[in-house]
Amino acid sequence: MQIRAKYSHLNGYEYLRFRHPGLWDEVVDVIASVDAEACKTKVSKEKTMKGRLLYSPDDMNAEFKEGFGARGWEQRRHTFWVTSDERLLRGVYGLAAADQRQRIVDAGHEPIMSYNQTDFVKDRVAVEVQFGKYAFVAHDLFVKHLSFYVGDIIDVGIEILPMKELEREMSSGVPYYERDLLNVIRQGRGVPAVPLVLIGVAP
């Protein structure tokens, strides 16, 4: 695969090139190592594409997992506690997880454990590879990356998406770079409040 387009939100790309040029090179190398044609294994059962051979998200994800794993990128979970009281939530969010729970209990509310999990993290940089349903991209950008950034776990997030030309050769409902680029830029310069790099890939 190759990078066909990229967008730097809140100077995410510039931060990477200045602070972590080696990590950016690793991301580029992993993308280049994915053999897209070898992942064209899914026989469509959809009415409009029945019998057509499509790119398999599972196969592509497996290649990305292998590539990032070989370079020391690991899955990471950020655990936190929530409750139904809005004021209490605002007061505990920045605390360590154990302190969040205790503060909620002390206030007489039920603590509910929750977490966000991201695909790959290394040296305070997170990567999400999204070949699933298009709704998951908003969750990645506005929940996962933002949560890890606010939690002081990462400094920048990377979202890898198929270009429209690749999405056309996949099952319906898959996201594509061009649409999610619009979804980000129409929010304005500061939203989401986390430095990001959107990457569009294609064979």
Side-chain angles (χ1 to χ4, degrees):
M1 278 196 179
Q2 57 184 297
I3 295 174
R4 291 288 178 84
K6 69 177 180 293
Y7 172 70
S8 178
H9 177 73
L10 295 180
N11 297 314
Y13 174 72
E14 291 75 13
Y15 178 89
L16 275 176
R17 295 300 289 155
F18 182 73
R19 298 277 185 160
H20 296 289
L23 292 186
W24 173 254
D25 292 340
E26 287 185 12
V27 171
V28 173
D29 288 345
V30 170
I31 292 169
S33 75
V34 174
D35 183 352
E37 294 311 309
C39 297
K40 204 168 189 179
T41 59
K42 184 174 182 178
V43 179
S44 177
K45 296 177 182 177
E46 296 180 41
K47 188 175 181 181
T48 58
M49 298 187 286
K50 196 161 186 176
R52 188 169 155 194
L53 198 60
L54 304 173
Y55 291 100
S56 165
D58 290 344
D59 290 354
M60 289 189 289
N61 282 331
E63 289 213 20
F64 274 103
K65 185 175 182 180
E66 181 180 337
F68 279 111
R71 291 162 176 82
W73 294 73
E74 298 178 334
Q75 194 175 75
R76 180 75 184 269
R77 178 181 286 199
H78 176 220
T79 302
F80 51 93
W81 293 83
V82 297
T83 191
S84 60
D85 186 274
E86 173 259 335
R87 284 189 178 180
L88 185 55
L89 272 181
R90 290 182 185 277
V92 303
Y93 183 73
L95 302 176
D99 295 332
Q100 291 176 348
R101 185 184 187 285
Q102 192 58 51
R103 187 78 66 85
I104 293 169
V105 169
D106 290 346
H109 290 271
E110 177 192 3
I112 303 165
M113 190 181 78
S114 190
Y115 67 90
N116 288 313
Q117 188 166 300
T118 198
D119 289 343
F120 311 104
V121 176
K122 184 177 179 181
D123 296 340
R124 298 181 61 84
V125 176
V127 176
E128 283 288 324
V129 179
Q130 194 51 263
F131 295 127
K133 294 299 182 183
Y134 63 84
F136 296 158
V137 178
H139 185 73
D140 288 350
L141 300 180
F142 292 87
V143 177
K144 286 186 179 183
H145 288 307
L146 187 57
S147 172
F148 274 66
Y149 182 70
V150 172
D152 197 29
I153 297 167
I154 66 168
D155 296 314
V156 63
I158 299 171
E159 190 79 5
I160 298 176
L161 300 161
M163 296 293 289
K164 182 63 178 179
E165 63 183 280
L166 174 55
E167 182 265 353
R168 287 189 184 105
E169 300 293 320
M170 299 174 72
S171 296
S172 61
V174 173
Y176 57 91
Y177 173 87
E178 294 88 340
R179 178 171 56 196
D180 286 299
L181 173 62
L182 173 63
N183 288 342
V184 170
I185 64 175
R186 72 180 173 190
Q187 302 297 324
R189 279 287 299 148
V191 180
V194 50
L196 297 167
V197 183
L198 269 63
I199 298 176
V201 298

